[in-house]
Amino acid sequence: MSDTPTPKPGKVLVPADDLRTFSAALLEKGGLSPEHARTTADVFVWAALRGVESHGIARVPAYLDLLAKGVANADAQIKVEASTPAAVVLDADRAPGPVALTAAAEEAVNRARTNGVAAVGVRGTVHTGAIGYYVSKIAEQGLVGIGFVAGMPNMGYTGVKGAAVATSPLAVAVPAEDHAPLLLDMATATIALGKIRQAKASGTPLPEGAAATADGTPTTDPEQAVMPLPLGGAKGSGMSLAFELLTSVLVGAPIFAAFHSDDPAGRKHRQNALLIALDPAAFGGTDAFTAAVDSTLGTLKGLPVADDADGVYYPGERSAEVAVGRTEKGIPVAPKVWRDLTERAEQLGVALPGAAG
């Protein structure tokens, strides 16, 4: 890394490795151990490489704030509480999500290798980051990864006035032989909270049925919108509630009921998660499975292309292509994010990375 002059207007291109090293240095100054800082930075850069800006490098300043305020525990003592060989609960002790869920993914892979399947519940973490990262790490080992997250209520629920459930995500990663892995990574909301903020900043109207006012009234006015509406109405809200049961309630750390109780502690920020690993070897054989996955994806891509489409894509394919391009050319960092990073670097005495090219 090297010192860089004041950034010019427009996005700054930074090599992925340099951005990862820089982010890790900032997070280490923020209190994380070198290992945990690198892990957390890797999650952010992974998202940035794939074009998921909302969970990318822009999260570094936010995590520094979480650490500074004590919301995230920089010295968390993560404990694995085993109940059966294939099912465990990981008590995160308010560790940052990337730290806790990376550990959970490793635990799931190790146990699934022995048992064919493993489920790891994560209790009491803080902002999980891009959940697609963790299931992708499982898929990199040749296993199928499935993940759910439950968080603080910030989304409407069909028939309820005001915020009721969380924009809880689901992610599935399936390894292939010749294709990039299938990666389905989706929230239960129609639109992300970050998109509402972006629309407010630009004055752009929101799509119909995507957001609502504080009392739950649907609106397209970004100035009035404060929360997203569930994807598919009752379907999205039902999925979010189910994920609360599959994660928070399952690990003995309910969020939903506590949040809507009279206890102020119920609104303390926290998240829970569940990661599942399936070993194809236990279901008939790894080689046959990945070959069949390739055949399935190839069949999809060979179907007739609709007149108004530029091609047929499976989940995760285009983001994988974006990652290839950004690995070669650098990751674009938005001006506001670069300014924030520059200020944090100056405050913490960390050298800025050089721009790509």
Side-chain angles (χ1 to χ4, degrees):
M1 292 191 298
S2 61
D3 291 318
T4 301
T6 302
K8 299 177 182 178
K11 293 185 176 181
V12 178
L13 277 177
V14 183
D17 287 343
D18 290 352
L19 198 55
R20 186 180 293 107
T21 301
F22 169 62
S23 300
L26 287 174
L27 291 164
E28 189 175 346
K29 289 285 188 178
L32 291 180
S33 69
E35 178 186 0
H36 289 174
R38 285 192 300 270
T39 296
T40 304
D42 195 53
V43 175
F44 296 155
V45 172
W46 179 90
L49 279 169
R50 301 179 73 92
V52 187
E53 316 300 354
S54 60
H55 287 67
I57 205 68
R59 286 289 178 178
V60 173
Y63 270 55
L64 290 172
D65 290 341
L66 289 173
L67 290 164
K69 295 175 182 177
V71 176
N73 184 0
D75 190 32
Q77 303 301 307
I78 298 175
K79 298 178 182 177
V80 176
E81 302 174 357
S83 54
T84 72
V88 301
V89 174
L90 185 153
D91 190 312
D93 191 25
R94 293 185 296 108
V99 174
L101 268 74
T102 295
E106 293 173 355
E107 192 73 28
V109 168
N110 291 337
R111 290 176 179 270
R113 291 282 190 214
T114 302
N115 302 289
V117 59
V120 181
V122 179
R123 176 172 60 221
T125 187
V126 178
H127 193 271
T128 54
I131 187 174
Y133 173 89
Y134 314 108
V135 295
S136 291
K137 298 300 283 187
I138 294 173
E140 286 177 6
Q141 300 301 313
L143 281 66
V144 175
I146 304 171
F148 309 94
V149 170
M152 306 302 290
N154 58 357
M155 180 178 78
Y157 185 97
T158 303
V160 174
K161 180 181 290 187
V165 291
T167 57
S168 300
L170 156 71
V172 179
V174 182
E177 193 170 280
D178 298 322
H179 292 78
L182 177 143
L183 175 59
L184 174 68
D185 187 348
M186 55 172 282
T188 49
T190 299
I191 191 172
L193 278 167
K195 294 292 185 182
I196 294 177
R197 289 192 288 268
Q198 290 175 3
K200 186 175 295 186
S202 63
T204 306
L206 293 162
E208 291 280 352
T213 61
D215 66 0
T217 303
T219 181
T220 59
D221 183 354
E223 291 296 331
Q224 300 297 320
V226 299
M227 66 179 178
L229 289 170
L231 180 67
K235 295 179 181 179
S237 55
M239 287 174 66
S240 176
L241 186 62
F243 296 169
E244 163 73 4
L245 299 178
L246 290 173
T247 58
S248 306
V249 175
L250 190 66
V251 301
I255 293 177
F256 175 83
F259 180 90
H260 292 292
S261 72
D262 294 329
D263 184 358
R267 298 198 168 219
K268 183 178 180 180
H269 177 78
R270 62 208 184 277
Q271 293 186 353
N272 302 310
L274 177 69
L275 292 182
I276 300 171
L278 307 174
D279 188 351
F283 293 82
T286 300
D287 293 343
F289 173 73
T290 54
V293 171
D294 270 330
S295 176
T296 301
L297 299 179
T299 298
L300 173 71
K301 293 189 67 59
L303 295 177
V305 180
D307 293 340
D308 59 349
D310 63 354
V312 178
Y313 303 93
Y314 60 87
E317 181 180 7
R318 282 183 284 194
S319 61
E321 292 175 354
V322 171
V324 171
R326 290 189 171 189
T327 298
E328 295 175 352
K329 300 177 181 178
I331 295 175
V333 181
K336 182 181 182 302
V337 175
W338 185 255
R339 288 195 298 271
D340 289 347
L341 292 172
T342 300
E343 291 176 2
R344 299 302 179 116
E346 291 175 350
Q347 293 168 4
L348 298 172
V350 174
L352 289 168

